[in-house]
Amino acid sequence: MVNPHGAPGAIELVEAVREWIERDVMATSEGRLRFHARVATNMLAMVEREIELGESHAVAHAERLATLGVADDHEFAAAIRAGDLDDRLDEVRTLLRATVDDKLAVANPGYVDD
Amino acid sequence: MADHEELRRLLQDALGVESVTDLTRLSGGASRETWRFVADGNSRVVQRQRAGDERDMMIEAATVDAASRAGVPVPELLRAESSPSGSFMILDAIDGETIARKILRDADFVDARAALPTQLGRALAAIHAMSSDAVDGLPEADPIAFYTDVLDSLGQPYPMLELVRRWLLEHRPTTGATTIVHGDFRLGNLIVGPNGLRAVIDWELAHVGDPMEDLGWLCVKAWRFGQSPPVAGIGEYEELFAAYAEASGITVDADVVRWWEVLGTWKWAVMCILQASAHLSGAVRSHELAAIGRRVCENEHDLFLALEGRW
């Protein structure tokens, strides 16, 4: 895949905004605004990680769902609720553990060590 | 300012006082707001509920009053009124800290942290000594059914939450007792001074149910605010259970509390999805609410931790 957009790419653009908030907005704000700026930088860092890891996570998740014979998370959730996967719950847990690890790797990689 | 003037007059009339000054807004949400003020020299707090909110503030006020009579440390209820334009209740203002991060980390609260696990156990025992019919109109709902409906109404699939829901259904403990339950007993809803607990506040989620729900909720990982000790980020299970048993005469079954802790973690995940949906639906556009949606995986991780060796 050749990206026609040139530099800076999506990650660099988001990174640049995040660095500006950290450098200029957070340094000169306090209270509620500073807190909301911190939330915003966390969200932008999350987007950077999702751009980087999202594609490989999607491939891995699709493989996990295929193993269980379900098309998507809607089918997966419905199958668990209906009891259709009751004889494969060990497998379901192992696969879900991997999915939750991927979600944390994007949303908040520091959480596991907290 | 027009708003302030209207509120000032309302408080003056409700309390029958000469002067209402220093009106300061403490917090405000979509459906209710909290103000602090001074009435004839005394510090007071008013909670206002906007018209249209389904919850009945008069029930909450009656619960605070009943809790006070039962010996639970609560702010004294001075006045509660229901009107078509919205209900309000006025309480005595109690000085102290409610911000969890400060209570957990600041040097000012070293003694409080040592005393709290026992004080929390005793306060819970006092709450649960209230019989389930001490307050009229308190709701009683099956939390699994209730939050399953919430999850379904939001329409997004969460396989991990489905897996845990099945565990909850299969391991549901037999309810030992039915009492009044605070419903949101954790740091943030407790006023703490240098010597520990001063008051239990925010009774809006009070209901009738299994008292062990309050003990489990207090131990949910989100309410440890990044600290390791399981009870509110401050104490060990044994400290809480021992104080509760001594004050109530009820021996705590750790497995039952753990079930409620898992239920609480699962419920908190659904509440995070609900908060993000307020942004996504356009009801309240807020990047902060949007970010909360991505915290669900933290709850999912916590559920794996809480269920380790228990599946």
Side-chain angles (χ1 to χ4, degrees):
Chain A
M1 254 191 327
V2 181
N3 184 340
H5 300 292
I11 289 183
E12 286 95 342
L13 290 174
V14 176
E15 187 181 31
V17 179
R18 176 174 56 80
E19 287 174 356
W20 168 72
I21 298 175
E22 283 168 355
R23 196 178 54 231
D24 293 355
V25 181
M26 291 189 58
T28 56
S29 61
E30 53 184 35
R32 202 170 158 77
L33 178 61
R34 190 182 156 83
F35 170 71
H36 279 147
R38 161 65 63 196
V39 173
T41 61
N42 287 342
M43 292 171 83
L44 294 173
M46 202 184 298
V47 174
E48 291 169 49
R49 291 189 293 269
E50 186 165 328
I51 294 171
E52 192 189 333
L53 301 168
E55 211 165 307
S56 66
H57 284 172
V59 170
H61 191 55
E63 282 171 6
R64 289 192 283 265
L65 293 174
T67 312
L68 294 168
V70 291
D72 54 29
D73 274 345
H74 277 285
E75 270 190 38
F76 190 10
I80 294 171
R81 187 177 297 189
D84 296 345
L85 291 167
D86 278 4
D87 53 348
R88 300 177 73 181
L89 287 182
D90 282 340
E91 204 181 343
V92 167
R93 274 192 289 277
T94 307
L95 296 174
L96 280 172
R97 178 69 265 186
T99 300
V100 172
D101 285 342
D102 283 355
K103 288 165 78 174
L104 276 174
V106 165
N108 188 358
Y111 186 72
V112 180
D113 309 320
D114 278 355
Chain B
M1 279 313 284
D3 251 14
H4 275 54
E5 186 51 30
E6 176 253 307
L7 178 57
R8 212 180 55 74
R9 278 176 195 284
L10 180 124
L11 296 171
Q12 217 168 332
D13 291 346
L15 290 171
V17 293
E18 301 274 314
S19 79
V20 164
T21 58
D22 303 275
L23 259 177
T24 314
R25 188 160 160 167
L26 298 180
S27 68
S31 63
R32 63 161 59 197
E33 51 190 43
T34 305
W35 300 74
R36 195 178 168 119
F37 63 99
V38 176
D40 284 358
N42 300 307
S43 287
R44 307 293 189 217
V45 162
V46 62
Q47 293 205 295
R48 291 183 96 183
Q49 189 171 37
R50 305 237 166 88
D53 193 302
E54 288 170 24
R55 280 174 295 209
D56 188 338
M57 193 174 249
M58 293 309 105
I59 294 176
E60 182 182 348
T63 311
V64 173
D65 210 30
S68 176
R69 280 182 273 113
V72 182
V74 290
E76 188 191 349
L77 177 73
L78 301 167
R79 186 93 196 153
E81 276 182 36
S82 181
S83 80
S85 62
S87 310
F88 67 88
M89 59 179 183
I90 301 170
L91 304 147
D92 185 25
I94 293 182
D95 287 323
E97 189 55 77
T98 57
I99 299 172
R101 200 168 22 81
K102 292 188 180 171
I103 296 166
L104 287 169
R105 293 185 177 86
D106 285 7
D108 299 349
F109 297 103
V110 173
D111 293 344
R113 287 194 288 272
L116 274 168
T118 299
Q119 293 173 338
L120 298 181
R122 285 184 193 145
L124 283 170
I127 293 170
H128 300 155
M130 288 192 272
S131 75
S132 54
D133 57 4
V135 178
D136 285 336
L138 278 178
E140 181 173 11
D142 169 2
I144 301 179
F146 184 85
Y147 285 98
T148 298
D149 285 348
V150 173
L151 189 59
D152 289 347
S153 73
L154 298 172
Q156 296 165 40
Y158 285 87
M160 177 60 187
L161 299 185
E162 292 299 331
L163 186 67
V164 174
R165 180 179 170 276
R166 281 191 71 81
W167 183 89
L168 287 166
L169 287 168
E170 280 159 18
H171 294 81
R172 194 199 294 254
T174 323
T175 302
T178 304
T179 67
I180 289 181
V181 174
H182 178 277
D184 202 7
F185 192 92
R186 60 174 176 87
L187 293 188
N189 294 333
L190 304 168
I191 298 177
V192 173
N195 297 317
L197 183 65
R198 285 184 174 162
V200 181
I201 57 172
D202 286 339
W203 290 77
E204 62 181 299
L205 297 177
H207 58 271
V208 169
D210 186 332
M212 293 303 116
E213 175 182 345
D214 276 336
L215 278 73
W217 185 243
L218 182 62
C219 300
V220 166
K221 190 151 161 279
W223 308 134
R224 303 176 198 170
F225 298 92
Q227 306 293 109
S228 345
V231 178
I234 296 173
E236 299 304 321
Y237 289 112
E238 295 74 20
E239 291 176 86
L240 176 73
F241 297 170
Y244 185 86
E246 199 190 333
S248 68
I250 296 164
T251 308
V252 177
D253 183 334
D255 285 335
V256 173
V257 174
R258 181 57 68 108
W259 185 90
W260 282 104
E261 184 183 321
V262 174
L263 182 281
T265 309
W266 177 80
K267 175 176 117 177
W268 179 234
V270 177
M271 289 165 87
C272 286
I273 299 166
L274 185 64
Q275 293 196 56
S277 83
H279 165 80
L280 293 169
S281 72
V284 185
R285 293 295 286 180
S286 152
H287 77 301
E288 187 186 355
L289 289 178
I292 290 172
R294 286 295 190 97
R295 294 192 62 178
V296 175
C297 59
E298 297 177 8
N299 301 311
E300 291 176 334
H301 174 75
D302 295 345
L303 285 164
F304 270 115
L305 290 184
L307 283 168
E308 217 166 78
R310 290 169 192 269
W311 289 102

